Amino acid sequence: MCDIEGNHLTVAAIIGHDGTVWAQSANFPQVICASIELFKSDCC
């Protein structure tokens, strides 16, 4: 996909604040609600 700070990005997803997956790479791992909630609580 692209390089970010010297690392090669191979998969990506766009996830809304409500946990809705808007778009994702074909080989992106399955996202579960618990993972989204953990991410939201850690960064927002």
Side-chain angles (χ1 to χ4, degrees):
M1 288 185 126
C2 67
D3 289 324
I4 298 177
E5 296 181 8
N7 297 307
H8 188 72
L9 181 65
T10 57
V11 297
I14 301 171
I15 302 171
H17 287 285
D18 62 354
T20 304
V21 178
W22 292 9
Q24 67 185 46
S25 305
N27 56 342
F28 193 83
Q30 182 179 8
V31 178
I32 56 173
C33 292
S35 297
I36 295 169
E37 290 301 319
L38 180 63
F39 178 76
K40 283 174 34 180
S41 68
D42 196 35
C43 74
C44 301

PDB file of all heavy atoms in Angstrom:
ATOM      1  N   MET A   1       0.813  -1.181   0.000  1.00  0.00           N
ATOM      2  CA  MET A   1       0.000   0.000   0.000  1.00  0.00           C
ATOM      3  C   MET A   1       0.862   1.253   0.000  1.00  0.00           C
ATOM      4  O   MET A   1       0.869   1.980  -0.964  1.00  0.00           O
ATOM      5  CB  MET A   1      -0.942   0.032   1.189  1.00  0.00           C
ATOM      6  CG  MET A   1      -2.076  -0.932   1.120  1.00  0.00           C
ATOM      7  SD  MET A   1      -3.193  -0.694   2.515  1.00  0.00           S
ATOM      8  CE  MET A   1      -4.693  -0.480   1.603  1.00  0.00           C
ATOM      9  N   CYS A   2       1.555   1.507   1.131  1.00  0.00           N
ATOM     10  CA  CYS A   2       2.392   2.700   1.211  1.00  0.00           C
ATOM     11  C   CYS A   2       3.367   2.558   2.376  1.00  0.00           C
ATOM     12  O   CYS A   2       3.254   1.663   3.196  1.00  0.00           O
ATOM     13  CB  CYS A   2       1.546   3.952   1.383  1.00  0.00           C
ATOM     14  SG  CYS A   2       0.673   4.052   2.949  1.00  0.00           S
ATOM     15  N   ASP A   3       4.326   3.471   2.419  1.00  0.00           N
ATOM     16  CA  ASP A   3       5.282   3.506   3.523  1.00  0.00           C
ATOM     17  C   ASP A   3       4.916   4.627   4.472  1.00  0.00           C
ATOM     18  O   ASP A   3       4.620   5.743   4.050  1.00  0.00           O
ATOM     19  CB  ASP A   3       6.698   3.731   2.993  1.00  0.00           C
ATOM     20  CG  ASP A   3       7.231   2.509   2.269  1.00  0.00           C
ATOM     21  OD1 ASP A   3       6.919   1.387   2.705  1.00  0.00           O
ATOM     22  OD2 ASP A   3       7.954   2.676   1.279  1.00  0.00           O
ATOM     23  N   ILE A   4       4.916   4.336   5.773  1.00  0.00           N
ATOM     24  CA  ILE A   4       4.640   5.321   6.804  1.00  0.00           C
ATOM     25  C   ILE A   4       5.754   5.242   7.834  1.00  0.00           C
ATOM     26  O   ILE A   4       5.933   4.206   8.473  1.00  0.00           O
ATOM     27  CB  ILE A   4       3.268   5.078   7.473  1.00  0.00           C
ATOM     28  CG1 ILE A   4       2.146   5.202   6.446  1.00  0.00           C
ATOM     29  CG2 ILE A   4       3.069   6.037   8.629  1.00  0.00           C
ATOM     30  CD1 ILE A   4       0.771   4.913   7.001  1.00  0.00           C
ATOM     31  N   GLU A   5       6.497   6.318   7.953  1.00  0.00           N
ATOM     32  CA  GLU A   5       7.597   6.408   8.920  1.00  0.00           C
ATOM     33  C   GLU A   5       8.516   5.192   8.853  1.00  0.00           C
ATOM     34  O   GLU A   5       8.877   4.610   9.870  1.00  0.00           O
ATOM     35  CB  GLU A   5       7.051   6.609  10.328  1.00  0.00           C
ATOM     36  CG  GLU A   5       6.300   7.907  10.501  1.00  0.00           C
ATOM     37  CD  GLU A   5       5.783   8.107  11.909  1.00  0.00           C
ATOM     38  OE1 GLU A   5       6.119   7.313  12.805  1.00  0.00           O
ATOM     39  OE2 GLU A   5       5.030   9.079  12.122  1.00  0.00           O
ATOM     40  N   GLY A   6       8.856   4.777   7.648  1.00  0.00           N
ATOM     41  CA  GLY A   6       9.783   3.671   7.455  1.00  0.00           C
ATOM     42  C   GLY A   6       9.161   2.291   7.541  1.00  0.00           C
ATOM     43  O   GLY A   6       9.850   1.293   7.375  1.00  0.00           O
ATOM     44  N   ASN A   7       7.869   2.195   7.813  1.00  0.00           N
ATOM     45  CA  ASN A   7       7.164   0.910   7.868  1.00  0.00           C
ATOM     46  C   ASN A   7       6.239   0.789   6.668  1.00  0.00           C
ATOM     47  O   ASN A   7       5.649   1.775   6.234  1.00  0.00           O
ATOM     48  CB  ASN A   7       6.346   0.804   9.161  1.00  0.00           C
ATOM     49  CG  ASN A   7       7.231   0.822  10.385  1.00  0.00           C
ATOM     50  OD1 ASN A   7       8.152   0.046  10.492  1.00  0.00           O
ATOM     51  ND2 ASN A   7       6.968   1.736  11.286  1.00  0.00           N
ATOM     52  N   HIS A   8       6.104  -0.424   6.147  1.00  0.00           N
ATOM     53  CA  HIS A   8       5.261  -0.650   4.977  1.00  0.00           C
ATOM     54  C   HIS A   8       3.863  -1.062   5.417  1.00  0.00           C
ATOM     55  O   HIS A   8       3.692  -2.080   6.072  1.00  0.00           O
ATOM     56  CB  HIS A   8       5.867  -1.726   4.074  1.00  0.00           C
ATOM     57  CG  HIS A   8       5.149  -1.878   2.776  1.00  0.00           C
ATOM     58  ND1 HIS A   8       5.234  -0.925   1.784  1.00  0.00           N
ATOM     59  CD2 HIS A   8       4.327  -2.838   2.319  1.00  0.00           C
ATOM     60  CE1 HIS A   8       4.493  -1.307   0.768  1.00  0.00           C
ATOM     61  NE2 HIS A   8       3.931  -2.469   1.068  1.00  0.00           N
ATOM     62  N   LEU A   9       2.878  -0.250   5.083  1.00  0.00           N
ATOM     63  CA  LEU A   9       1.480  -0.527   5.399  1.00  0.00           C
ATOM     64  C   LEU A   9       0.941  -1.530   4.376  1.00  0.00           C
ATOM     65  O   LEU A   9       1.013  -1.292   3.177  1.00  0.00           O
ATOM     66  CB  LEU A   9       0.674   0.768   5.354  1.00  0.00           C
ATOM     67  CG  LEU A   9      -0.806   0.679   5.690  1.00  0.00           C
ATOM     68  CD1 LEU A   9      -0.986   0.271   7.147  1.00  0.00           C
ATOM     69  CD2 LEU A   9      -1.483   2.014   5.439  1.00  0.00           C
ATOM     70  N   THR A  10       0.422  -2.662   4.852  1.00  0.00           N
ATOM     71  CA  THR A  10      -0.060  -3.693   3.927  1.00  0.00           C
ATOM     72  C   THR A  10      -1.571  -3.866   3.956  1.00  0.00           C
ATOM     73  O   THR A  10      -2.146  -4.362   2.990  1.00  0.00           O
ATOM     74  CB  THR A  10       0.588  -5.056   4.240  1.00  0.00           C
ATOM     75  OG1 THR A  10       0.312  -5.410   5.590  1.00  0.00           O
ATOM     76  CG2 THR A  10       2.097  -4.999   4.033  1.00  0.00           C
ATOM     77  N   VAL A  11      -2.229  -3.509   5.061  1.00  0.00           N
ATOM     78  CA  VAL A  11      -3.690  -3.584   5.166  1.00  0.00           C
ATOM     79  C   VAL A  11      -4.185  -2.352   5.908  1.00  0.00           C
ATOM     80  O   VAL A  11      -3.436  -1.727   6.654  1.00  0.00           O
ATOM     81  CB  VAL A  11      -4.179  -4.864   5.892  1.00  0.00           C
ATOM     82  CG1 VAL A  11      -3.802  -6.106   5.120  1.00  0.00           C
ATOM     83  CG2 VAL A  11      -3.643  -4.939   7.302  1.00  0.00           C
ATOM     84  N   ALA A  12      -5.457  -2.012   5.698  1.00  0.00           N
ATOM     85  CA  ALA A  12      -6.020  -0.842   6.362  1.00  0.00           C
ATOM     86  C   ALA A  12      -7.529  -0.983   6.450  1.00  0.00           C
ATOM     87  O   ALA A  12      -8.137  -1.759   5.713  1.00  0.00           O
ATOM     88  CB  ALA A  12      -5.655   0.425   5.601  1.00  0.00           C
ATOM     89  N   ALA A  13      -8.110  -0.213   7.367  1.00  0.00           N
ATOM     90  CA  ALA A  13      -9.568  -0.167   7.504  1.00  0.00           C
ATOM     91  C   ALA A  13      -9.966   1.235   7.935  1.00  0.00           C
ATOM     92  O   ALA A  13      -9.204   1.936   8.604  1.00  0.00           O
ATOM     93  CB  ALA A  13     -10.060  -1.181   8.525  1.00  0.00           C
ATOM     94  N   ILE A  14     -11.159   1.632   7.531  1.00  0.00           N
ATOM     95  CA  ILE A  14     -11.757   2.888   7.985  1.00  0.00           C
ATOM     96  C   ILE A  14     -12.951   2.491   8.835  1.00  0.00           C
ATOM     97  O   ILE A  14     -13.866   1.826   8.354  1.00  0.00           O
ATOM     98  CB  ILE A  14     -12.203   3.759   6.801  1.00  0.00           C
ATOM     99  CG1 ILE A  14     -11.015   4.086   5.897  1.00  0.00           C
ATOM    100  CG2 ILE A  14     -12.876   5.037   7.318  1.00  0.00           C
ATOM    101  CD1 ILE A  14     -11.402   4.753   4.603  1.00  0.00           C
ATOM    102  N   ILE A  15     -12.916   2.883  10.112  1.00  0.00           N
ATOM    103  CA  ILE A  15     -13.952   2.487  11.060  1.00  0.00           C
ATOM    104  C   ILE A  15     -14.523   3.745  11.704  1.00  0.00           C
ATOM    105  O   ILE A  15     -13.779   4.584  12.207  1.00  0.00           O
ATOM    106  CB  ILE A  15     -13.379   1.537  12.135  1.00  0.00           C
ATOM    107  CG1 ILE A  15     -12.779   0.309  11.460  1.00  0.00           C
ATOM    108  CG2 ILE A  15     -14.439   1.153  13.152  1.00  0.00           C
ATOM    109  CD1 ILE A  15     -12.012  -0.601  12.368  1.00  0.00           C
ATOM    110  N   GLY A  16     -15.843   3.876  11.687  1.00  0.00           N
ATOM    111  CA  GLY A  16     -16.507   5.041  12.265  1.00  0.00           C
ATOM    112  C   GLY A  16     -16.474   5.018  13.780  1.00  0.00           C
ATOM    113  O   GLY A  16     -16.200   3.988  14.405  1.00  0.00           O
ATOM    114  N   HIS A  17     -16.769   6.151  14.390  1.00  0.00           N
ATOM    115  CA  HIS A  17     -16.788   6.253  15.856  1.00  0.00           C
ATOM    116  C   HIS A  17     -17.818   5.318  16.479  1.00  0.00           C
ATOM    117  O   HIS A  17     -17.695   4.938  17.645  1.00  0.00           O
ATOM    118  CB  HIS A  17     -17.080   7.693  16.304  1.00  0.00           C
ATOM    119  CG  HIS A  17     -15.925   8.614  16.096  1.00  0.00           C
ATOM    120  ND1 HIS A  17     -14.811   8.607  16.898  1.00  0.00           N
ATOM    121  CD2 HIS A  17     -15.707   9.566  15.164  1.00  0.00           C
ATOM    122  CE1 HIS A  17     -13.963   9.508  16.474  1.00  0.00           C
ATOM    123  NE2 HIS A  17     -14.477  10.117  15.423  1.00  0.00           N
ATOM    124  N   ASP A  18     -18.833   4.946  15.708  1.00  0.00           N
ATOM    125  CA  ASP A  18     -19.854   4.035  16.225  1.00  0.00           C
ATOM    126  C   ASP A  18     -19.485   2.571  16.016  1.00  0.00           C
ATOM    127  O   ASP A  18     -20.240   1.680  16.355  1.00  0.00           O
ATOM    128  CB  ASP A  18     -21.203   4.328  15.576  1.00  0.00           C
ATOM    129  CG  ASP A  18     -21.199   4.119  14.069  1.00  0.00           C
ATOM    130  OD1 ASP A  18     -20.111   3.860  13.490  1.00  0.00           O
ATOM    131  OD2 ASP A  18     -22.273   4.220  13.455  1.00  0.00           O
ATOM    132  N   GLY A  19     -18.294   2.314  15.456  1.00  0.00           N
ATOM    133  CA  GLY A  19     -17.836   0.949  15.253  1.00  0.00           C
ATOM    134  C   GLY A  19     -18.175   0.365  13.896  1.00  0.00           C
ATOM    135  O   GLY A  19     -17.820  -0.770  13.602  1.00  0.00           O
ATOM    136  N   THR A  20     -18.850   1.115  13.051  1.00  0.00           N
ATOM    137  CA  THR A  20     -19.205   0.648  11.721  1.00  0.00           C
ATOM    138  C   THR A  20     -17.968   0.638  10.827  1.00  0.00           C
ATOM    139  O   THR A  20     -17.257   1.638  10.730  1.00  0.00           O
ATOM    140  CB  THR A  20     -20.271   1.565  11.090  1.00  0.00           C
ATOM    141  OG1 THR A  20     -21.393   1.624  11.954  1.00  0.00           O
ATOM    142  CG2 THR A  20     -20.701   1.064   9.739  1.00  0.00           C
ATOM    143  N   VAL A  21     -17.709  -0.496  10.176  1.00  0.00           N
ATOM    144  CA  VAL A  21     -16.595  -0.585   9.236  1.00  0.00           C
ATOM    145  C   VAL A  21     -17.061   0.011   7.912  1.00  0.00           C
ATOM    146  O   VAL A  21     -17.989  -0.491   7.293  1.00  0.00           O
ATOM    147  CB  VAL A  21     -16.131  -2.052   9.050  1.00  0.00           C
ATOM    148  CG1 VAL A  21     -15.006  -2.119   8.035  1.00  0.00           C
ATOM    149  CG2 VAL A  21     -15.697  -2.647  10.386  1.00  0.00           C
ATOM    150  N   TRP A  22     -16.433   1.099   7.491  1.00  0.00           N
ATOM    151  CA  TRP A  22     -16.808   1.774   6.253  1.00  0.00           C
ATOM    152  C   TRP A  22     -16.097   1.155   5.061  1.00  0.00           C
ATOM    153  O   TRP A  22     -16.673   1.039   3.987  1.00  0.00           O
ATOM    154  CB  TRP A  22     -16.484   3.248   6.322  1.00  0.00           C
ATOM    155  CG  TRP A  22     -17.303   4.036   7.290  1.00  0.00           C
ATOM    156  CD1 TRP A  22     -18.188   3.549   8.228  1.00  0.00           C
ATOM    157  CD2 TRP A  22     -17.315   5.440   7.443  1.00  0.00           C
ATOM    158  NE1 TRP A  22     -18.741   4.571   8.927  1.00  0.00           N
ATOM    159  CE2 TRP A  22     -18.228   5.759   8.472  1.00  0.00           C
ATOM    160  CE3 TRP A  22     -16.648   6.473   6.817  1.00  0.00           C
ATOM    161  CZ2 TRP A  22     -18.472   7.057   8.879  1.00  0.00           C
ATOM    162  CZ3 TRP A  22     -16.893   7.771   7.221  1.00  0.00           C
ATOM    163  CH2 TRP A  22     -17.805   8.049   8.230  1.00  0.00           C
ATOM    164  N   ALA A  23     -14.847   0.778   5.245  1.00  0.00           N
ATOM    165  CA  ALA A  23     -14.052   0.187   4.168  1.00  0.00           C
ATOM    166  C   ALA A  23     -12.891  -0.565   4.797  1.00  0.00           C
ATOM    167  O   ALA A  23     -12.458  -0.240   5.895  1.00  0.00           O
ATOM    168  CB  ALA A  23     -13.530   1.267   3.231  1.00  0.00           C
ATOM    169  N   GLN A  24     -12.410  -1.578   4.084  1.00  0.00           N
ATOM    170  CA  GLN A  24     -11.241  -2.304   4.579  1.00  0.00           C
ATOM    171  C   GLN A  24     -10.580  -3.046   3.439  1.00  0.00           C
ATOM    172  O   GLN A  24     -11.209  -3.328   2.422  1.00  0.00           O
ATOM    173  CB  GLN A  24     -11.616  -3.281   5.691  1.00  0.00           C
ATOM    174  CG  GLN A  24     -12.482  -4.446   5.262  1.00  0.00           C
ATOM    175  CD  GLN A  24     -12.901  -5.296   6.443  1.00  0.00           C
ATOM    176  OE1 GLN A  24     -13.329  -4.775   7.461  1.00  0.00           O
ATOM    177  NE2 GLN A  24     -12.786  -6.595   6.306  1.00  0.00           N
ATOM    178  N   SER A  25      -9.306  -3.341   3.613  1.00  0.00           N
ATOM    179  CA  SER A  25      -8.570  -4.143   2.650  1.00  0.00           C
ATOM    180  C   SER A  25      -9.148  -5.550   2.624  1.00  0.00           C
ATOM    181  O   SER A  25      -9.683  -6.025   3.634  1.00  0.00           O
ATOM    182  CB  SER A  25      -7.094  -4.231   3.044  1.00  0.00           C
ATOM    183  OG  SER A  25      -6.522  -2.957   3.198  1.00  0.00           O
ATOM    184  N   ALA A  26      -9.019  -6.195   1.494  1.00  0.00           N
ATOM    185  CA  ALA A  26      -9.556  -7.555   1.346  1.00  0.00           C
ATOM    186  C   ALA A  26      -8.968  -8.520   2.368  1.00  0.00           C
ATOM    187  O   ALA A  26      -9.656  -9.400   2.873  1.00  0.00           O
ATOM    188  CB  ALA A  26      -9.304  -8.060  -0.067  1.00  0.00           C
ATOM    189  N   ASN A  27      -7.698  -8.354   2.709  1.00  0.00           N
ATOM    190  CA  ASN A  27      -7.040  -9.269   3.646  1.00  0.00           C
ATOM    191  C   ASN A  27      -6.906  -8.697   5.055  1.00  0.00           C
ATOM    192  O   ASN A  27      -6.113  -9.176   5.858  1.00  0.00           O
ATOM    193  CB  ASN A  27      -5.679  -9.700   3.101  1.00  0.00           C
ATOM    194  CG  ASN A  27      -4.778  -8.532   2.787  1.00  0.00           C
ATOM    195  OD1 ASN A  27      -5.222  -7.402   2.659  1.00  0.00           O
ATOM    196  ND2 ASN A  27      -3.493  -8.797   2.638  1.00  0.00           N
ATOM    197  N   PHE A  28      -7.701  -7.660   5.387  1.00  0.00           N
ATOM    198  CA  PHE A  28      -7.692  -7.093   6.735  1.00  0.00           C
ATOM    199  C   PHE A  28      -8.321  -8.098   7.695  1.00  0.00           C
ATOM    200  O   PHE A  28      -9.347  -8.690   7.384  1.00  0.00           O
ATOM    201  CB  PHE A  28      -8.491  -5.778   6.759  1.00  0.00           C
ATOM    202  CG  PHE A  28      -8.275  -4.967   8.004  1.00  0.00           C
ATOM    203  CD1 PHE A  28      -7.187  -4.125   8.120  1.00  0.00           C
ATOM    204  CD2 PHE A  28      -9.164  -5.047   9.063  1.00  0.00           C
ATOM    205  CE1 PHE A  28      -6.977  -3.362   9.263  1.00  0.00           C
ATOM    206  CE2 PHE A  28      -8.970  -4.291  10.220  1.00  0.00           C
ATOM    207  CZ  PHE A  28      -7.874  -3.451  10.309  1.00  0.00           C
ATOM    208  N   PRO A  29      -7.730  -8.302   8.880  1.00  0.00           N
ATOM    209  CA  PRO A  29      -8.312  -9.261   9.838  1.00  0.00           C
ATOM    210  C   PRO A  29      -9.728  -8.855  10.250  1.00  0.00           C
ATOM    211  O   PRO A  29     -10.069  -7.672  10.226  1.00  0.00           O
ATOM    212  CB  PRO A  29      -7.379  -9.180  11.045  1.00  0.00           C
ATOM    213  CG  PRO A  29      -6.196  -8.401  10.625  1.00  0.00           C
ATOM    214  CD  PRO A  29      -6.545  -7.648   9.391  1.00  0.00           C
ATOM    215  N   GLN A  30     -10.527  -9.820  10.616  1.00  0.00           N
ATOM    216  CA  GLN A  30     -11.892  -9.530  11.042  1.00  0.00           C
ATOM    217  C   GLN A  30     -11.856  -8.644  12.286  1.00  0.00           C
ATOM    218  O   GLN A  30     -11.138  -8.913  13.238  1.00  0.00           O
ATOM    219  CB  GLN A  30     -12.640 -10.821  11.353  1.00  0.00           C
ATOM    220  CG  GLN A  30     -14.083 -10.573  11.744  1.00  0.00           C
ATOM    221  CD  GLN A  30     -14.831 -11.861  12.026  1.00  0.00           C
ATOM    222  OE1 GLN A  30     -14.246 -12.927  12.080  1.00  0.00           O
ATOM    223  NE2 GLN A  30     -16.125 -11.753  12.207  1.00  0.00           N
ATOM    224  N   VAL A  31     -12.650  -7.580  12.262  1.00  0.00           N
ATOM    225  CA  VAL A  31     -12.705  -6.642  13.378  1.00  0.00           C
ATOM    226  C   VAL A  31     -13.872  -7.037  14.275  1.00  0.00           C
ATOM    227  O   VAL A  31     -14.970  -7.298  13.804  1.00  0.00           O
ATOM    228  CB  VAL A  31     -12.908  -5.202  12.864  1.00  0.00           C
ATOM    229  CG1 VAL A  31     -13.020  -4.232  14.024  1.00  0.00           C
ATOM    230  CG2 VAL A  31     -11.778  -4.802  11.939  1.00  0.00           C
ATOM    231  N   ILE A  32     -13.608  -7.100  15.577  1.00  0.00           N
ATOM    232  CA  ILE A  32     -14.682  -7.405  16.517  1.00  0.00           C
ATOM    233  C   ILE A  32     -14.964  -6.166  17.369  1.00  0.00           C
ATOM    234  O   ILE A  32     -14.086  -5.323  17.579  1.00  0.00           O
ATOM    235  CB  ILE A  32     -14.342  -8.618  17.414  1.00  0.00           C
ATOM    236  CG1 ILE A  32     -13.023  -8.402  18.158  1.00  0.00           C
ATOM    237  CG2 ILE A  32     -14.283  -9.897  16.600  1.00  0.00           C
ATOM    238  CD1 ILE A  32     -12.721  -9.466  19.173  1.00  0.00           C
ATOM    239  N   CYS A  33     -16.179  -6.041  17.845  1.00  0.00           N
ATOM    240  CA  CYS A  33     -16.603  -4.864  18.609  1.00  0.00           C
ATOM    241  C   CYS A  33     -15.693  -4.596  19.806  1.00  0.00           C
ATOM    242  O   CYS A  33     -15.381  -3.446  20.103  1.00  0.00           O
ATOM    243  CB  CYS A  33     -18.044  -5.019  19.066  1.00  0.00           C
ATOM    244  SG  CYS A  33     -19.214  -4.993  17.710  1.00  0.00           S
ATOM    245  N   ALA A  34     -15.270  -5.623  20.495  1.00  0.00           N
ATOM    246  CA  ALA A  34     -14.411  -5.445  21.672  1.00  0.00           C
ATOM    247  C   ALA A  34     -13.100  -4.767  21.287  1.00  0.00           C
ATOM    248  O   ALA A  34     -12.600  -3.910  22.033  1.00  0.00           O
ATOM    249  CB  ALA A  34     -14.135  -6.785  22.334  1.00  0.00           C
ATOM    250  N   SER A  35     -12.554  -5.102  20.129  1.00  0.00           N
ATOM    251  CA  SER A  35     -11.314  -4.474  19.673  1.00  0.00           C
ATOM    252  C   SER A  35     -11.536  -3.000  19.391  1.00  0.00           C
ATOM    253  O   SER A  35     -10.692  -2.164  19.713  1.00  0.00           O
ATOM    254  CB  SER A  35     -10.805  -5.153  18.402  1.00  0.00           C
ATOM    255  OG  SER A  35     -10.484  -6.483  18.648  1.00  0.00           O
ATOM    256  N   ILE A  36     -12.662  -2.669  18.787  1.00  0.00           N
ATOM    257  CA  ILE A  36     -12.976  -1.271  18.472  1.00  0.00           C
ATOM    258  C   ILE A  36     -13.145  -0.473  19.765  1.00  0.00           C
ATOM    259  O   ILE A  36     -12.609   0.614  19.898  1.00  0.00           O
ATOM    260  CB  ILE A  36     -14.237  -1.178  17.597  1.00  0.00           C
ATOM    261  CG1 ILE A  36     -13.958  -1.832  16.241  1.00  0.00           C
ATOM    262  CG2 ILE A  36     -14.669   0.265  17.418  1.00  0.00           C
ATOM    263  CD1 ILE A  36     -15.183  -2.040  15.391  1.00  0.00           C
ATOM    264  N   GLU A  37     -13.876  -1.032  20.723  1.00  0.00           N
ATOM    265  CA  GLU A  37     -14.081  -0.329  22.001  1.00  0.00           C
ATOM    266  C   GLU A  37     -12.754  -0.114  22.728  1.00  0.00           C
ATOM    267  O   GLU A  37     -12.521   0.955  23.296  1.00  0.00           O
ATOM    268  CB  GLU A  37     -15.058  -1.110  22.874  1.00  0.00           C
ATOM    269  CG  GLU A  37     -16.482  -1.092  22.351  1.00  0.00           C
ATOM    270  CD  GLU A  37     -17.052   0.324  22.218  1.00  0.00           C
ATOM    271  OE1 GLU A  37     -16.818   1.162  23.100  1.00  0.00           O
ATOM    272  OE2 GLU A  37     -17.715   0.575  21.193  1.00  0.00           O
ATOM    273  N   LEU A  38     -11.889  -1.102  22.710  1.00  0.00           N
ATOM    274  CA  LEU A  38     -10.575  -0.975  23.353  1.00  0.00           C
ATOM    275  C   LEU A  38      -9.766   0.130  22.680  1.00  0.00           C
ATOM    276  O   LEU A  38      -9.166   0.975  23.350  1.00  0.00           O
ATOM    277  CB  LEU A  38      -9.821  -2.295  23.300  1.00  0.00           C
ATOM    278  CG  LEU A  38      -8.435  -2.317  23.924  1.00  0.00           C
ATOM    279  CD1 LEU A  38      -8.522  -2.023  25.419  1.00  0.00           C
ATOM    280  CD2 LEU A  38      -7.785  -3.657  23.696  1.00  0.00           C
ATOM    281  N   PHE A  39      -9.771   0.157  21.365  1.00  0.00           N
ATOM    282  CA  PHE A  39      -9.040   1.181  20.627  1.00  0.00           C
ATOM    283  C   PHE A  39      -9.609   2.569  20.943  1.00  0.00           C
ATOM    284  O   PHE A  39      -8.878   3.510  21.197  1.00  0.00           O
ATOM    285  CB  PHE A  39      -9.122   0.903  19.128  1.00  0.00           C
ATOM    286  CG  PHE A  39      -8.440   1.939  18.294  1.00  0.00           C
ATOM    287  CD1 PHE A  39      -7.053   1.967  18.191  1.00  0.00           C
ATOM    288  CD2 PHE A  39      -9.169   2.894  17.623  1.00  0.00           C
ATOM    289  CE1 PHE A  39      -6.415   2.942  17.429  1.00  0.00           C
ATOM    290  CE2 PHE A  39      -8.551   3.866  16.847  1.00  0.00           C
ATOM    291  CZ  PHE A  39      -7.176   3.891  16.769  1.00  0.00           C
ATOM    292  N   LYS A  40     -10.931   2.695  20.932  1.00  0.00           N
ATOM    293  CA  LYS A  40     -11.571   3.987  21.204  1.00  0.00           C
ATOM    294  C   LYS A  40     -11.228   4.480  22.607  1.00  0.00           C
ATOM    295  O   LYS A  40     -10.956   5.654  22.815  1.00  0.00           O
ATOM    296  CB  LYS A  40     -13.088   3.885  21.035  1.00  0.00           C
ATOM    297  CG  LYS A  40     -13.519   3.867  19.604  1.00  0.00           C
ATOM    298  CD  LYS A  40     -15.001   3.624  19.397  1.00  0.00           C
ATOM    299  CE  LYS A  40     -15.938   4.173  20.393  1.00  0.00           C
ATOM    300  NZ  LYS A  40     -17.345   3.898  20.114  1.00  0.00           N
ATOM    301  N   SER A  41     -11.253   3.604  23.587  1.00  0.00           N
ATOM    302  CA  SER A  41     -10.980   4.029  24.959  1.00  0.00           C
ATOM    303  C   SER A  41      -9.518   4.380  25.174  1.00  0.00           C
ATOM    304  O   SER A  41      -9.176   5.170  26.046  1.00  0.00           O
ATOM    305  CB  SER A  41     -11.396   2.937  25.949  1.00  0.00           C
ATOM    306  OG  SER A  41     -10.559   1.807  25.828  1.00  0.00           O
ATOM    307  N   ASP A  42      -8.640   3.826  24.345  1.00  0.00           N
ATOM    308  CA  ASP A  42      -7.207   4.051  24.482  1.00  0.00           C
ATOM    309  C   ASP A  42      -6.757   5.340  23.807  1.00  0.00           C
ATOM    310  O   ASP A  42      -5.782   5.945  24.234  1.00  0.00           O
ATOM    311  CB  ASP A  42      -6.452   2.855  23.907  1.00  0.00           C
ATOM    312  CG  ASP A  42      -5.003   2.825  24.340  1.00  0.00           C
ATOM    313  OD1 ASP A  42      -4.720   3.218  25.494  1.00  0.00           O
ATOM    314  OD2 ASP A  42      -4.157   2.393  23.534  1.00  0.00           O
ATOM    315  N   CYS A  43      -7.466   5.769  22.766  1.00  0.00           N
ATOM    316  CA  CYS A  43      -6.960   6.905  22.003  1.00  0.00           C
ATOM    317  C   CYS A  43      -7.892   8.116  21.975  1.00  0.00           C
ATOM    318  O   CYS A  43      -7.479   9.170  21.517  1.00  0.00           O
ATOM    319  CB  CYS A  43      -6.657   6.483  20.574  1.00  0.00           C
ATOM    320  SG  CYS A  43      -8.122   6.227  19.579  1.00  0.00           S
ATOM    321  N   CYS A  44      -9.091   7.984  22.399  1.00  0.00           N
ATOM    322  CA  CYS A  44     -10.029   9.103  22.259  1.00  0.00           C
ATOM    323  C   CYS A  44     -10.389   9.735  23.589  1.00  0.00           C
ATOM    324  O   CYS A  44     -10.397   9.154  24.586  1.00  0.00           O
ATOM    325  CB  CYS A  44     -11.307   8.613  21.577  1.00  0.00           C
ATOM    326  SG  CYS A  44     -10.982   7.935  19.957  1.00  0.00           S
TER     327      CYS A  44
END
